[in-house]
Short mmCIF file of all heavy atoms in Angstrom, two decimals:
data_model
loop_
_atom_site.label_atom_id
_atom_site.label_comp_id
_atom_site.label_asym_id
_atom_site.label_seq_id
_atom_site.Cartn_x
_atom_site.Cartn_y
_atom_site.Cartn_z
N VAL A 1 21.18 11.32 -12.25
CA VAL A 1 21.51 10.15 -11.44
C VAL A 1 20.22 9.36 -11.22
O VAL A 1 19.27 9.83 -10.57
CB VAL A 1 22.11 10.58 -10.08
CG1 VAL A 1 22.39 9.34 -9.20
CG2 VAL A 1 23.37 11.39 -10.28
N HIS A 2 20.19 8.13 -11.76
CA HIS A 2 18.98 7.30 -11.66
C HIS A 2 18.79 6.89 -10.24
O HIS A 2 19.68 6.27 -9.59
CB HIS A 2 19.14 6.08 -12.55
CG HIS A 2 19.07 6.42 -14.04
ND1 HIS A 2 18.21 5.76 -14.90
CD2 HIS A 2 19.73 7.35 -14.78
CE1 HIS A 2 18.38 6.26 -16.10
NE2 HIS A 2 19.30 7.21 -16.04
N GLY A 3 17.60 7.14 -9.72
CA GLY A 3 17.25 6.76 -8.36
C GLY A 3 16.31 5.58 -8.34
O GLY A 3 16.47 4.63 -9.10
N TYR A 4 15.33 5.62 -7.46
CA TYR A 4 14.48 4.48 -7.24
C TYR A 4 13.36 4.46 -8.32
O TYR A 4 12.90 5.47 -8.83
CB TYR A 4 13.82 4.56 -5.86
CG TYR A 4 14.79 4.69 -4.75
CD1 TYR A 4 14.47 5.34 -3.55
CD2 TYR A 4 16.11 4.19 -4.87
CE1 TYR A 4 15.42 5.45 -2.54
CE2 TYR A 4 17.02 4.29 -3.85
CZ TYR A 4 16.68 4.94 -2.67
OH TYR A 4 17.59 5.05 -1.69
N PRO A 5 12.93 3.24 -8.68
CA PRO A 5 11.87 3.11 -9.70
C PRO A 5 10.50 3.35 -9.11
O PRO A 5 10.35 3.61 -7.91
CB PRO A 5 12.04 1.65 -10.16
CG PRO A 5 12.54 0.94 -8.95
CD PRO A 5 13.46 1.93 -8.24
N VAL A 6 9.48 3.23 -9.96
CA VAL A 6 8.09 3.35 -9.52
C VAL A 6 7.77 2.13 -8.60
O VAL A 6 8.11 1.01 -8.86
CB VAL A 6 7.16 3.34 -10.70
CG1 VAL A 6 5.70 3.33 -10.28
CG2 VAL A 6 7.42 4.58 -11.60
N LEU A 7 7.06 2.42 -7.51
CA LEU A 7 6.63 1.38 -6.61
C LEU A 7 5.25 0.94 -6.96
O LEU A 7 4.32 1.75 -7.00
CB LEU A 7 6.68 1.86 -5.14
CG LEU A 7 6.57 0.83 -4.03
CD1 LEU A 7 7.21 1.33 -2.74
CD2 LEU A 7 5.11 0.40 -3.78
N ILE A 8 5.09 -0.34 -7.26
CA ILE A 8 3.81 -0.91 -7.70
C ILE A 8 3.36 -1.95 -6.67
O ILE A 8 4.05 -2.97 -6.48
CB ILE A 8 3.92 -1.50 -9.10
CG1 ILE A 8 4.46 -0.48 -10.09
CG2 ILE A 8 2.58 -2.06 -9.54
CD1 ILE A 8 4.80 -1.05 -11.44
N ASN A 9 2.21 -1.74 -6.06
CA ASN A 9 1.67 -2.70 -5.13
C ASN A 9 0.79 -3.74 -5.83
O ASN A 9 -0.03 -3.38 -6.72
CB ASN A 9 0.81 -1.98 -4.06
CG ASN A 9 1.66 -1.46 -2.91
OD1 ASN A 9 2.68 -2.03 -2.59
ND2 ASN A 9 1.19 -0.36 -2.29
N ASP A 10 0.96 -4.98 -5.45
CA ASP A 10 0.21 -6.06 -6.05
C ASP A 10 -1.25 -6.05 -5.47
O ASP A 10 -1.44 -6.03 -4.26
CB ASP A 10 0.88 -7.40 -5.70
CG ASP A 10 0.11 -8.60 -6.26
OD1 ASP A 10 0.28 -8.88 -7.45
OD2 ASP A 10 -0.63 -9.22 -5.49
N GLU A 11 -2.21 -6.04 -6.36
CA GLU A 11 -3.63 -5.91 -5.97
C GLU A 11 -4.05 -7.06 -5.05
O GLU A 11 -4.72 -6.80 -4.03
CB GLU A 11 -4.51 -5.84 -7.20
CG GLU A 11 -5.97 -5.62 -6.85
CD GLU A 11 -6.85 -5.46 -8.08
OE1 GLU A 11 -6.32 -5.43 -9.21
OE2 GLU A 11 -8.10 -5.38 -7.92
N HIS A 12 -3.68 -8.26 -5.35
CA HIS A 12 -4.11 -9.40 -4.53
C HIS A 12 -3.50 -9.32 -3.13
O HIS A 12 -4.25 -9.52 -2.11
CB HIS A 12 -3.68 -10.72 -5.20
CG HIS A 12 -3.87 -11.93 -4.32
ND1 HIS A 12 -5.15 -12.40 -4.01
CD2 HIS A 12 -2.98 -12.74 -3.70
CE1 HIS A 12 -5.04 -13.46 -3.20
NE2 HIS A 12 -3.74 -13.66 -3.03
N LEU A 13 -2.23 -9.00 -3.03
CA LEU A 13 -1.60 -8.91 -1.70
C LEU A 13 -2.21 -7.75 -0.89
O LEU A 13 -2.43 -7.88 0.34
CB LEU A 13 -0.10 -8.74 -1.85
CG LEU A 13 0.68 -9.88 -2.44
CD1 LEU A 13 2.17 -9.56 -2.41
CD2 LEU A 13 0.42 -11.21 -1.70
N VAL A 14 -2.46 -6.64 -1.56
CA VAL A 14 -3.05 -5.47 -0.88
C VAL A 14 -4.42 -5.85 -0.32
O VAL A 14 -4.73 -5.53 0.84
CB VAL A 14 -3.12 -4.26 -1.80
CG1 VAL A 14 -3.96 -3.17 -1.18
CG2 VAL A 14 -1.72 -3.73 -2.08
N GLN A 15 -5.27 -6.44 -1.16
CA GLN A 15 -6.60 -6.80 -0.70
C GLN A 15 -6.59 -7.77 0.46
O GLN A 15 -7.37 -7.64 1.43
CB GLN A 15 -7.43 -7.36 -1.88
CG GLN A 15 -7.73 -6.30 -2.97
CD GLN A 15 -8.40 -5.05 -2.40
OE1 GLN A 15 -9.34 -5.14 -1.59
NE2 GLN A 15 -7.96 -3.89 -2.83
N SER A 16 -5.69 -8.71 0.40
CA SER A 16 -5.58 -9.71 1.52
C SER A 16 -5.13 -9.01 2.77
O SER A 16 -5.64 -9.28 3.86
CB SER A 16 -4.57 -10.80 1.11
OG SER A 16 -5.03 -11.55 -0.03
N ALA A 17 -4.12 -8.11 2.65
CA ALA A 17 -3.61 -7.39 3.83
C ALA A 17 -4.69 -6.48 4.39
O ALA A 17 -4.83 -6.32 5.64
CB ALA A 17 -2.36 -6.61 3.45
N LYS A 18 -5.46 -5.81 3.53
CA LYS A 18 -6.53 -4.94 4.01
C LYS A 18 -7.61 -5.70 4.80
O LYS A 18 -8.10 -5.19 5.82
CB LYS A 18 -7.20 -4.25 2.83
CG LYS A 18 -6.39 -3.10 2.20
CD LYS A 18 -7.07 -2.50 1.00
CE LYS A 18 -8.35 -1.72 1.38
NZ LYS A 18 -8.94 -1.04 0.20
N GLN A 19 -7.89 -6.93 4.38
CA GLN A 19 -8.85 -7.75 5.12
C GLN A 19 -8.35 -8.05 6.50
O GLN A 19 -9.12 -7.94 7.48
CB GLN A 19 -9.16 -9.02 4.35
CG GLN A 19 -9.94 -8.79 3.06
CD GLN A 19 -10.17 -10.14 2.31
OE1 GLN A 19 -9.86 -11.17 2.78
NE2 GLN A 19 -10.76 -10.01 1.13
N ILE A 20 -7.08 -8.38 6.61
CA ILE A 20 -6.49 -8.64 7.93
C ILE A 20 -6.53 -7.41 8.77
O ILE A 20 -6.90 -7.44 9.96
CB ILE A 20 -5.04 -9.15 7.76
CG1 ILE A 20 -5.02 -10.46 7.03
CG2 ILE A 20 -4.35 -9.24 9.11
CD1 ILE A 20 -5.74 -11.58 7.71
N ALA A 21 -6.12 -6.26 8.21
CA ALA A 21 -6.11 -5.00 8.97
C ALA A 21 -7.52 -4.63 9.45
O ALA A 21 -7.71 -4.14 10.56
CB ALA A 21 -5.49 -3.91 8.10
N SER A 22 -8.51 -4.89 8.58
CA SER A 22 -9.91 -4.59 8.96
C SER A 22 -10.35 -5.42 10.15
O SER A 22 -11.11 -4.95 11.03
CB SER A 22 -10.80 -4.80 7.76
OG SER A 22 -10.51 -3.91 6.71
N GLN A 23 -9.90 -6.68 10.17
CA GLN A 23 -10.26 -7.55 11.29
C GLN A 23 -9.64 -7.07 12.61
O GLN A 23 -10.23 -7.19 13.68
CB GLN A 23 -9.83 -8.97 11.00
CG GLN A 23 -10.58 -9.64 9.83
CD GLN A 23 -9.94 -10.96 9.43
OE1 GLN A 23 -9.13 -11.57 10.17
NE2 GLN A 23 -10.31 -11.44 8.24
N ILE A 24 -8.44 -6.52 12.52
CA ILE A 24 -7.75 -6.05 13.70
C ILE A 24 -8.27 -4.69 14.17
O ILE A 24 -8.57 -4.48 15.38
CB ILE A 24 -6.24 -5.93 13.44
CG1 ILE A 24 -5.66 -7.25 12.99
CG2 ILE A 24 -5.48 -5.40 14.68
CD1 ILE A 24 -4.21 -7.13 12.47
N LEU A 25 -8.43 -3.76 13.25
CA LEU A 25 -8.68 -2.37 13.58
C LEU A 25 -10.10 -1.88 13.28
O LEU A 25 -10.48 -0.83 13.74
CB LEU A 25 -7.69 -1.48 12.82
CG LEU A 25 -6.20 -1.77 13.07
CD1 LEU A 25 -5.33 -0.96 12.07
CD2 LEU A 25 -5.80 -1.43 14.51
N GLY A 26 -10.82 -2.66 12.49
CA GLY A 26 -12.11 -2.19 12.04
C GLY A 26 -12.01 -1.52 10.66
O GLY A 26 -11.04 -0.83 10.40
N THR A 27 -12.98 -1.78 9.85
CA THR A 27 -12.96 -1.24 8.46
C THR A 27 -12.80 0.26 8.43
O THR A 27 -12.11 0.83 7.56
CB THR A 27 -14.23 -1.62 7.71
OG1 THR A 27 -14.41 -3.06 7.76
CG2 THR A 27 -14.17 -1.19 6.24
N GLU A 28 -13.40 0.97 9.42
CA GLU A 28 -13.32 2.42 9.40
C GLU A 28 -11.90 2.96 9.62
O GLU A 28 -11.65 4.15 9.37
CB GLU A 28 -14.27 2.96 10.47
CG GLU A 28 -13.83 2.69 11.92
CD GLU A 28 -14.22 1.32 12.45
OE1 GLU A 28 -14.67 0.47 11.63
OE2 GLU A 28 -14.09 1.09 13.65
N ASN A 29 -11.01 2.12 10.15
CA ASN A 29 -9.65 2.54 10.40
C ASN A 29 -8.63 2.05 9.37
O ASN A 29 -7.45 2.19 9.53
CB ASN A 29 -9.24 2.05 11.79
CG ASN A 29 -9.98 2.74 12.87
OD1 ASN A 29 -10.11 3.98 12.85
ND2 ASN A 29 -10.50 2.00 13.85
N VAL A 30 -9.16 1.51 8.27
CA VAL A 30 -8.32 1.08 7.15
C VAL A 30 -8.58 2.08 6.02
O VAL A 30 -9.70 2.11 5.44
CB VAL A 30 -8.61 -0.35 6.71
CG1 VAL A 30 -7.74 -0.75 5.53
CG2 VAL A 30 -8.32 -1.29 7.88
N ILE A 31 -7.57 2.85 5.69
CA ILE A 31 -7.74 4.02 4.80
C ILE A 31 -7.26 3.64 3.38
O ILE A 31 -6.22 3.02 3.20
CB ILE A 31 -6.93 5.21 5.34
CG1 ILE A 31 -7.46 5.59 6.74
CG2 ILE A 31 -7.00 6.39 4.41
CD1 ILE A 31 -6.57 6.56 7.44
N ASN A 32 -8.04 4.11 2.37
CA ASN A 32 -7.61 3.99 1.02
C ASN A 32 -6.76 5.21 0.65
O ASN A 32 -7.24 6.34 0.69
CB ASN A 32 -8.81 3.90 0.05
CG ASN A 32 -9.60 2.60 0.26
OD1 ASN A 32 -8.99 1.54 0.34
ND2 ASN A 32 -10.91 2.71 0.28
N LEU A 33 -5.50 5.00 0.36
CA LEU A 33 -4.56 6.08 0.16
C LEU A 33 -4.52 6.55 -1.28
O LEU A 33 -4.79 5.81 -2.23
CB LEU A 33 -3.16 5.64 0.55
CG LEU A 33 -2.97 5.19 2.00
CD1 LEU A 33 -1.57 4.58 2.17
CD2 LEU A 33 -3.14 6.32 2.98
N ASP A 34 -4.16 7.83 -1.47
CA ASP A 34 -3.84 8.37 -2.80
C ASP A 34 -2.41 7.98 -3.17
O ASP A 34 -1.62 7.56 -2.36
CB ASP A 34 -3.99 9.87 -2.80
CG ASP A 34 -5.41 10.32 -2.58
OD1 ASP A 34 -6.32 9.60 -3.03
OD2 ASP A 34 -5.61 11.40 -1.97
N ILE A 35 -2.09 8.17 -4.48
CA ILE A 35 -0.72 8.01 -4.91
C ILE A 35 0.18 9.03 -4.22
O ILE A 35 -0.28 10.10 -3.80
CB ILE A 35 -0.56 8.08 -6.41
CG1 ILE A 35 -1.01 9.43 -6.93
CG2 ILE A 35 -1.36 6.95 -7.07
CD1 ILE A 35 -0.72 9.69 -8.39
N ARG A 36 1.46 8.76 -4.17
CA ARG A 36 2.44 9.67 -3.57
C ARG A 36 3.57 9.91 -4.55
O ARG A 36 4.07 9.01 -5.21
CB ARG A 36 3.04 9.05 -2.28
CG ARG A 36 2.03 8.85 -1.17
CD ARG A 36 2.70 8.17 0.02
NE ARG A 36 3.75 9.00 0.58
CZ ARG A 36 3.60 9.82 1.61
NH1 ARG A 36 2.40 9.98 2.14
NH2 ARG A 36 4.60 10.55 2.07
N MET A 37 4.01 11.18 -4.61
CA MET A 37 5.16 11.55 -5.45
C MET A 37 6.49 11.39 -4.76
O MET A 37 7.54 11.69 -5.31
CB MET A 37 5.00 12.96 -6.02
CG MET A 37 3.78 13.14 -6.91
SD MET A 37 3.61 11.90 -8.24
CE MET A 37 5.02 12.35 -9.28
N THR A 38 6.43 10.96 -3.46
CA THR A 38 7.66 10.56 -2.79
C THR A 38 8.10 9.21 -3.34
O THR A 38 7.38 8.52 -4.05
CB THR A 38 7.44 10.52 -1.28
OG1 THR A 38 6.30 9.66 -1.02
CG2 THR A 38 7.16 11.87 -0.71
N SER A 39 9.30 8.80 -2.96
CA SER A 39 9.83 7.55 -3.47
C SER A 39 10.40 6.72 -2.33
O SER A 39 10.62 7.19 -1.22
CB SER A 39 10.96 7.82 -4.50
OG SER A 39 12.04 8.50 -3.91
N GLU A 40 10.60 5.44 -2.62
CA GLU A 40 11.01 4.43 -1.64
C GLU A 40 11.80 3.34 -2.33
O GLU A 40 11.38 2.86 -3.37
CB GLU A 40 9.79 3.83 -0.97
CG GLU A 40 9.72 3.91 0.52
CD GLU A 40 10.64 2.97 1.27
OE1 GLU A 40 11.20 2.05 0.65
OE2 GLU A 40 10.77 3.15 2.51
N ASP A 41 12.92 2.92 -1.71
CA ASP A 41 13.67 1.88 -2.41
C ASP A 41 13.02 0.50 -2.25
O ASP A 41 13.51 -0.47 -2.90
CB ASP A 41 15.14 1.87 -2.00
CG ASP A 41 15.48 1.11 -0.71
OD1 ASP A 41 14.56 0.93 0.13
OD2 ASP A 41 16.62 0.71 -0.55
N PHE A 42 11.92 0.39 -1.50
CA PHE A 42 11.14 -0.84 -1.54
C PHE A 42 10.67 -1.12 -2.93
O PHE A 42 10.37 -2.28 -3.27
CB PHE A 42 9.93 -0.69 -0.55
CG PHE A 42 9.13 -1.96 -0.33
CD1 PHE A 42 9.52 -2.83 0.68
CD2 PHE A 42 8.05 -2.26 -1.12
CE1 PHE A 42 8.77 -4.00 0.91
CE2 PHE A 42 7.32 -3.42 -0.89
CZ PHE A 42 7.67 -4.29 0.14
#
């Protein structure tokens, strides 16, 4: 039974969002995540 596909984050959007998050929370509170073998219908 085919489930959800691979989730691919757009590099430009991620970098822009990280900059915003860093301004709110501080760079030290913005974490670079590893890949996940869980899935999401996003």
Side-chain angles (χ1 to χ4, degrees):
V1 179
H2 290 231
Y4 305 152
V6 175
L7 192 155
I8 304 172
N9 275 331
D10 179 81
E11 183 175 355
H12 172 68
L13 294 184
V14 168
Q15 292 306 314
S16 298
K18 284 178 70 175
Q19 289 179 6
I20 296 300
S22 296
Q23 293 170 16
I24 301 169
L25 302 171
T27 304
E28 68 279 8
N29 292 313
V30 178
I31 299 168
N32 293 316
L33 300 173
D34 293 328
I35 61 170
R36 295 176 63 93
M37 297 309 292
T38 53
S39 62
E40 237 285 349
D41 84 337
F42 190 88

